Amino acid sequence: MRWLNISLAIVLALGIGLRFTNLDQKPYWHDEIYTSLRASGYTAEEAIQALYHGQMIDVETLLTYQRPAPERTAIDTLTGLATEEPHHPPLYYVMARFWAEWFGSSITAMRSLPALISLLALPAMYWLCWELFASPMVGKMAMALLAISPIYIRYAQEARQYSLWVVLILVSSAVLVRAVRQKIAVNWGVYAIAMIPALYCHLLSVLVVLGHGVYVLAIERFRLSRTVLGYLLASLIGMVWFLPWVGIAWINQTALVETTAWMKQPLPLPTLIRFWGVQLSRLFVAWHFRSDSQLVYLAIPILVLAMVALNFLCRHTPRSVWLFILTLIGVTALGLVLPDLLWAGKRSTNIRYFFPSYLGLTIAIAYFMTHA
């Protein structure tokens, strides 16, 4: 047991170190540029009008729209998101605005924020595993897997909201499991509070909340119990607090439709299946999909491991445990995959949308590795 603890500690330290390695060496890509644009307080329309005039643009002029402008405030950040990208709730972008004001807007500075936030996912993962299993070893193994997994490291180093979303998924899930187990009213109040920042971080938190609801209903065998009422009241409070942004998205629905139109581009089923294989393999291996597409077959042994781990989980843990993991994985995955199968599209090719499912698989594999 001692050697295992030492090994997990080494892996954990390695994962933490990798999050802060070469932050400025990787290309600052399209989405990250938009993060800096939002933090600057300018809109994309303003940047296009100023820069696209058919003449040479010097670096300093370009960087004007990548740094917080003294004459702009966080209100301008909110306004830019509301009018041009209402599908992105504002929590992370406002945080990035203040971070850039305090620590600068260099690539290293902008990526340091998500890297630091990602560290909070480690204790949050331990907490969720403790609520589920009351087992320190499962929590340590899950932390180690989260620390070293390529998918979590990649988005810990990207100046976007996904490392924050991972933290909020784990925290809201841990609070929910505690509320279901302890049946104390104050826990549902804490759950409602935890839900609000999750919704203001990413719209797909709606699927996480829905998955929580499916779990609560199934645990209570679809009876209108006090637990179900507690969940309904808490989720209602969370949704009410999120209504202002829903209203903004509705008012600016033209921009919403235009910025999400890519999701409806049809892809043939074999291509979708290959993307799903790539996404699954990202839990353990990292490689460029287009550089060697044959590596997609690495998904097969990883799929076998996931199925074995889930089967082991269902056979050796109480219904309240395995059902939570299955709903955390399944509701988000089905919410992305089924629309693509039924109406065509490529929503499910976006790897970062599957974080709730990744977290569920990580926990299931951690339990299997410590108990098999």
Side-chain angles (χ1 to χ4, degrees):
M1 186 64 69
R2 183 181 178 185
W3 69 266
L4 181 58
N5 282 321
I6 294 174
S7 299
L8 292 177
I10 293 173
V11 170
L12 192 62
L14 178 61
I16 292 172
L18 287 173
R19 280 160 168 75
F20 296 93
T21 301
N22 296 329
L23 285 177
D24 62 336
Q25 297 301 308
K26 300 173 184 177
Y28 202 66
W29 76 297
H30 173 276
D31 285 11
E32 293 178 295
I33 291 171
Y34 267 84
T35 298
S36 293
L37 176 67
R38 296 306 168 202
S40 76
Y42 290 103
T43 64
E45 183 179 0
E46 289 173 318
I48 290 170
Q49 289 178 353
L51 299 175
Y52 286 71
H53 44 59
Q55 299 178 4
M56 187 75 71
I57 304 169
D58 62 79
V59 173
E60 283 303 312
T61 300
L62 183 62
L63 289 179
T64 299
Y65 302 93
Q66 296 287 286
R67 298 167 177 164
E71 67 275 11
R72 304 294 175 109
T73 67
I75 299 300
D76 295 296
T77 296
L78 290 171
T79 302
L81 286 167
T83 57
E84 295 184 337
E85 295 184 291
H87 62 295
H88 284 304
L91 178 59
Y92 177 80
Y93 298 92
V94 173
M95 293 173 63
R97 162 79 191 192
F98 289 118
W99 182 267
E101 288 180 346
W102 297 334
F103 300 103
S105 55
S106 67
I107 293 176
T108 300
M110 296 302 290
R111 286 175 170 167
S112 293
L113 175 60
L116 286 169
I117 291 173
S118 73
L119 299 184
L120 298 176
L122 300 173
M125 174 62 88
Y126 186 90
W127 180 21
L128 176 55
C129 289
W130 178 260
E131 295 294 341
L132 288 169
F133 307 104
S135 168
M137 189 51 64
V138 176
K140 293 175 184 177
M141 181 64 73
M143 287 174 64
L145 292 177
L146 188 148
I148 205 68
S149 172
I151 184 63
Y152 301 120
I153 293 174
R154 172 185 171 181
Y155 285 100
Q157 292 191 321
E158 184 171 296
R160 297 293 275 179
Q161 67 267 44
Y162 296 100
S163 62
L164 178 61
W165 191 36
V166 167
V167 173
L168 294 173
I169 293 168
L170 291 169
V171 169
S172 61
S173 296
V175 173
L176 176 86
V177 174
R178 171 170 286 195
V180 169
R181 188 183 74 253
Q182 293 185 344
K183 303 184 185 304
I184 300 174
V186 68
N187 286 334
W188 290 114
V190 176
Y191 177 68
I193 293 171
M195 187 191 308
I196 295 168
L199 291 168
Y200 273 99
C201 178
H202 203 292
L203 282 181
L204 288 183
S205 295
V206 172
L207 290 179
V208 177
V209 175
L210 178 61
H212 289 169
V214 172
Y215 168 69
V216 171
L217 284 171
I219 284 296
E220 297 298 310
R221 302 187 184 279
F222 298 93
R223 295 178 290 106
L224 194 61
S225 64
R226 291 183 61 183
T227 300
V228 173
L229 289 174
Y231 165 79
L232 291 175
L233 180 59
S235 58
L236 177 62
I237 293 171
M239 290 299 180
V240 167
W241 276 86
F242 190 55
L243 279 179
W245 195 258
V246 173
I248 287 171
W250 176 258
I251 293 170
N252 297 287
Q253 58 183 295
T254 300
L256 179 65
V257 171
E258 290 176 352
T259 52
T260 58
W262 65 269
M263 294 183 181
K264 298 180 182 179
Q265 297 174 10
L267 287 177
L269 182 59
T271 301
L272 285 175
I273 292 174
R274 290 177 70 83
F275 268 104
W276 299 339
V278 171
Q279 290 164 349
L280 182 62
S281 69
R282 288 293 191 265
L283 267 176
F284 292 101
V285 292
W287 46 275
H288 197 290
F289 181 28
R290 294 175 180 83
S291 64
D292 187 351
S293 59
Q294 299 305 312
L295 289 175
V296 70
Y297 296 107
L298 287 171
I300 295 175
I302 296 174
L303 176 62
V304 171
L305 172 62
M307 298 303 295
V308 169
L310 289 171
N311 178 65
F312 186 86
L313 181 82
C314 292
R315 289 191 295 108
H316 293 88
T317 62
R319 180 170 176 268
S320 60
V321 173
W322 60 258
L323 188 58
F324 176 80
I325 302 298
L326 292 185
T327 52
L328 184 63
I329 296 170
V331 171
T332 295
L334 290 175
L336 295 170
V337 170
L338 284 182
D340 285 352
L341 294 177
L342 296 175
W343 301 297
K346 57 178 186 178
R347 306 160 189 82
S348 60
T349 64
N350 200 323
I351 192 170
R352 53 188 181 262
Y353 292 171
F354 284 89
F355 270 120
S357 302
Y358 282 127
L359 292 169
L361 284 172
T362 300
I363 295 171
I365 293 171
Y367 180 82
F368 174 71
M369 293 178 69
T370 54
H371 285 79

